[in-house]
Amino acid sequence: MPHDISLISTISVGFALAFVLGFIANRINLPPLVGYLVAGVLIGPNTPGFVADSVLSSQLAEIGVMLLMFGVGLHFSLADLMAVRRIALPGAIGQIVLATAATAGVFHLLGWAMGPSIIMGLCLSVASTVVLLKALEERNGVATPNGRIAVGWLIVEDLAMVLALVLVPAFAGVLGGHVAEDGGHGTAADGNIFVTLGLTLAKVAAFVVIALLIGPRVMPWVLRQVARTGSRELFTLAVLAIALGLAFGSAKLFGVSYALGAFFAGMVLNESDLSHKAATNSLPLQDAFAVLFFVSVGMLFDPAILWQKPMLVLAVVALILVGKSLAALGIVMVLGYPLSTALMVSASLAQIGEFSFILASLGIAHGIFTQEGMNLVLAGALVSITVNPVVFSVTERACHWVNANPRRKARFEDSRQTRFLALQKELEDARVRAAEKAAAHKTFTPEELAERFPLFSNLTPEQREVLLLHFETRTAQPGDRIIRAGDAPDNVYFISSGEVEVRVADRKIPLTAGDYFGEMALLSGKPRSADVIALDYSKFVTLNQNDFRQFLRRFPEIRQQVAALAAERGEMNEGFFAEGEETK
Ligand code: CMP
């Protein structure tokens, strides 16, 4: 293959094959991820036929990791995590420690050095959030308390792994690997391990503080400026630039991993309503590169491991399916939760996925981990993800079995409800708070916007979407004065619910949902022409002066309609004043 088209062929064959196999996997009730991995195996150097460029694909995979982590940051809900912290925090940490120690012990006994054994332990200790979410979605379990405990648990695992990704390069020397030469990461090879650890953590902490302090102030502002241009692609581009730029920049400046940088970029965007909408725009790209990530991981897999080292493969699978699950089951029971919760968490954890691959690749890059280890991790992932649906149905049967017998039920379920109920209440409170917050912020979908405001019905869905980005929401209580006659203009108001009253001279004109007001002063540049008072609990979406003017400039037809109504209102008011004069 001529070198100059290797990028094209790697991407196109990768996507095409991943699509076909992902689709087949889905049809036979497996997560599509299995299909992507197999696609990678097929175009990898270890199977006959087309061989994609593995150097290129590993870089594409790196972009995939950044975007995956960006996605994790984007969906990270602190409120949910806080609600399940009493079980998820000790549970996930305890389980990572137990599973890592057990796995590292087994592999050390089998003759591996301590460094690769520990990496193997970490790889097997963390489950895939992607796989779990898919499994929960299929069972309608995402919103159930047990489902949220499992998700919270995995988020703690993800966070612990983010830390591991930062620490592995720093400890490369100690773990028997080679020391990074780019100077980007601190290294523990030369002397005091605590100094290195301290330095690494200090850099990470500095980065986190800067990202969280400056990010939420600057990013939404930047995005608002971009949104003003009215171009959705510029907007998507801005989000991507923030995700990848922050990941790359922070890796260069602070020596933190791309993954951590991207995670925080996601979290920063997650904070603001406007940005969140924008971030959703970038999801397709995120999905696409995540697929390439799995494909390129598959490319590394050498199926020969299955017949060359079957016992090791079995050991890995057993550690994932049995070892890890038992550890989690034990921990949840010790923490005093019902057996059904314990079984659900165990089933959720009985697989490994993206973080294990990331960690294994990192281990290889730093000379700590071996290709054989990577093959074992991959075999473990393929098998455990494939049988995960079976694990779930086994645990469901176990639950039925326990519940079928009153004595068993009393012992394993009913007597263990106190903590579970407390947690359920906390989750419910978090949900209510989140719903309130969302309701206060919610504007509309582009369809709802057109439905409510006939003024916007001729815009294309895309134009409406851009318009929505500019909207702010405001609420008012009965009696609130929203506009005072004679004031300088600031916003135009679109009533989404409730009722207001316009007061001119001694006339009162009611306006309701779908109407708008505040346009006259913005058009004429004069002070407000009337008082506007809320009659009911009301909600508005508002556009500021600049955005409104720009919007009208872009859509002359709407400008005409708005100007016509303003003129009509103006004439009407002159009439009112004239009448007032006459009666005097
Ligand atoms: P503005 O002058 O910016 O602020 C007060 C708003 O009340 C005005 O814009 C119009 O949107 C609205 N308004 C004024 N007069 C009338 C009217 N006669 N009928 C309906 N709305 C009006």
Side-chain angles (χ1 to χ4, degrees):
M1 177 187 23
H3 181 71
D4 50 347
I5 62 154
S6 55
L7 180 63
I8 301 177
S9 56
T10 301
I11 292 185
S12 37
V13 176
F15 272 146
L17 210 58
F19 160 64
V20 173
L21 294 178
F23 184 69
I24 295 176
N26 184 274
R27 293 317 293 258
I28 53 176
N29 275 336
L30 286 177
L33 208 156
V34 177
Y36 311 150
L37 287 170
V38 175
V41 178
L42 292 181
I43 60 171
N46 301 310
T47 48
F50 173 82
V51 175
D53 186 324
S54 53
V55 177
L56 275 180
S57 69
S58 72
Q59 280 200 35
L60 292 172
E62 190 97 36
I63 300 183
V65 172
M66 289 187 197
L67 291 173
L68 264 178
M69 290 304 296
F70 178 61
V72 174
L74 212 54
H75 297 122
F76 178 80
S77 152
L78 204 56
D80 262 13
L81 188 62
M82 288 314 283
V84 298
R85 67 188 179 283
R86 283 199 197 93
I87 175 167
L89 211 62
I93 292 174
Q95 174 257 321
I96 288 183
V97 171
L98 273 180
T100 306
T103 309
V106 168
F107 276 84
H108 197 51
L109 281 180
L110 289 172
W112 283 29
M114 215 50 215
S117 303
I118 291 178
I119 299 282
M120 181 59 103
L122 286 171
C123 285
L124 300 199
S125 71
V126 55
S128 157
T129 321
V130 181
V131 174
L132 169 69
L133 284 177
K134 175 104 179 66
L136 288 179
E137 268 162 25
E138 267 163 20
R139 289 170 181 73
N140 269 340
V142 182
T144 60
N146 281 341
R148 285 158 85 177
I149 290 173
V151 173
W153 186 299
L154 282 210
I155 286 182
V156 178
E157 279 196 2
D158 285 358
L159 291 179
M161 284 303 128
V162 168
L163 195 67
L165 293 183
V166 174
L167 293 181
V168 164
F171 284 90
V174 177
L175 292 171
H178 52 68
V179 172
E181 277 165 20
D182 60 7
H185 304 284
T187 66
D190 48 351
N192 198 334
I193 206 172
F194 292 105
V195 174
T196 317
L197 182 61
L199 263 179
T200 308
L201 290 181
K203 274 191 198 168
V204 173
F207 165 72
V208 170
V209 168
I210 292 178
L212 289 186
L213 278 185
I214 301 184
R217 291 186 171 80
V218 177
M219 298 305 168
W221 180 83
V222 171
L223 286 180
R224 195 164 286 282
Q225 299 309 310
V226 181
R228 288 226 162 94
T229 64
S231 155
R232 202 171 61 161
E233 79 218 18
L234 263 186
F235 205 74
T236 308
L237 196 57
V239 177
L240 280 179
I242 290 172
L244 297 184
L246 211 70
F248 187 73
S250 53
K252 286 280 164 239
L253 288 178
F254 296 92
V256 300
S257 64
Y258 292 140
L260 186 68
F263 173 75
F264 273 94
M267 242 177 98
V268 164
L269 288 195
N270 175 359
E271 287 286 299
S272 106
D273 194 38
L274 167 83
S275 328
H276 195 69
K277 230 178 248 159
T280 335
N281 285 354
S282 70
L283 281 180
L285 206 78
Q286 197 183 316
D287 286 348
F289 275 95
V291 168
L292 284 184
F293 168 71
F294 292 114
V295 172
S296 89
V297 168
M299 283 175 65
L300 298 173
F301 181 56
D302 185 357
I305 190 97
L306 295 177
W307 48 91
Q308 282 168 358
K309 300 268 170 72
M311 292 321 280
L312 275 186
V313 174
L314 266 184
V316 166
V317 171
L319 280 164
I320 299 170
L321 291 186
V322 184
K324 213 158 63 142
S325 305
L326 282 184
L329 192 91
I331 292 175
V332 179
M333 294 307 277
V334 168
L335 288 174
Y337 289 86
L339 184 68
S340 50
T341 303
L343 284 170
M344 172 76 170
V345 172
S346 304
S348 309
L349 292 176
Q351 35 93 359
I352 60 172
E354 61 274 10
F355 262 108
S356 315
F357 310 147
I358 299 175
L359 209 65
S361 317
L362 190 75
I364 291 182
H366 287 271
I368 313 166
F369 209 47
T370 57
Q371 190 54 46
E372 181 185 81
M374 179 59 139
N375 280 332
L376 287 171
V377 168
L378 283 162
L382 275 168
V383 175
S384 63
I385 293 173
T386 312
V387 301
N388 195 239
V390 181
V391 177
F392 265 100
S393 50
V394 169
T395 52
E396 272 155 23
R397 281 216 195 115
C399 275
H400 285 309
W401 180 78
V402 170
N403 283 325
N405 173 317
R407 266 192 41 217
R408 281 198 295 263
K409 185 164 180 286
R411 170 127 187 254
F412 292 111
E413 293 289 328
D414 300 346
S415 64
R416 302 178 142 261
Q417 288 297 320
T418 332
R419 294 204 177 151
F420 184 74
L421 289 177
L423 179 140
Q424 204 171 10
K425 180 164 180 316
E426 248 182 277
L427 271 176
E428 187 49 31
D429 291 348
R431 200 194 57 75
V432 169
R433 275 196 305 273
E436 276 168 7
K437 211 171 139 194
H441 279 284
K442 185 173 159 15
T443 49
F444 305 107
T445 62
E447 294 72 37
E448 287 167 340
L449 182 76
E451 241 167 59
R452 274 212 214 183
F453 299 105
L455 188 65
F456 303 127
S457 56
N458 283 337
L459 300 181
T460 66
E462 264 187 27
Q463 288 167 333
R464 276 182 227 140
E465 205 170 300
V466 173
L467 179 65
L468 283 174
L469 292 173
H470 299 278
F471 277 141
E472 302 268 348
T473 45
R474 291 233 346 222
T475 54
Q477 303 203 1
D480 282 355
R481 187 192 300 265
I482 304 153
I483 283 181
R484 183 189 299 271
D487 276 359
D490 46 11
N491 294 312
V492 55
Y493 295 75
F494 299 86
I495 310 173
S496 38
S497 67
E499 187 177 6
V500 303
E501 189 173 77
V502 178
R503 296 188 184 161
V504 210
D506 49 3
R507 293 303 178 95
K508 296 177 177 164
I509 305 121
L511 298 178
T512 53
D515 290 327
Y516 58 91
F517 58 89
E519 81 294 358
M520 288 171 66
L522 289 189
L523 286 178
S524 65
K526 291 187 189 147
R528 295 291 197 191
S529 63
D531 282 328
V532 182
I533 317 277
L535 294 185
D536 195 351
Y537 291 96
S538 307
K539 274 194 190 165
F540 316 99
V541 286
T542 66
L543 277 182
N544 70 28
Q545 209 162 340
N546 278 340
D547 291 340
F548 184 56
R549 291 214 174 103
Q550 277 216 4
F551 172 71
L552 293 187
R553 227 172 286 144
R554 196 166 304 128
F555 301 103
E557 263 179 37
I558 295 187
R559 185 189 176 87
Q560 265 176 11
Q561 285 184 51
V562 174
L565 184 66
E568 202 178 295
R569 285 174 170 177
E571 273 167 29
M572 199 191 283
N573 296 353
E574 272 167 30
F576 297 156
F577 283 117
E579 259 176 48
E581 291 292 303
E582 273 168 25
T583 43
K584 264 181 208 164

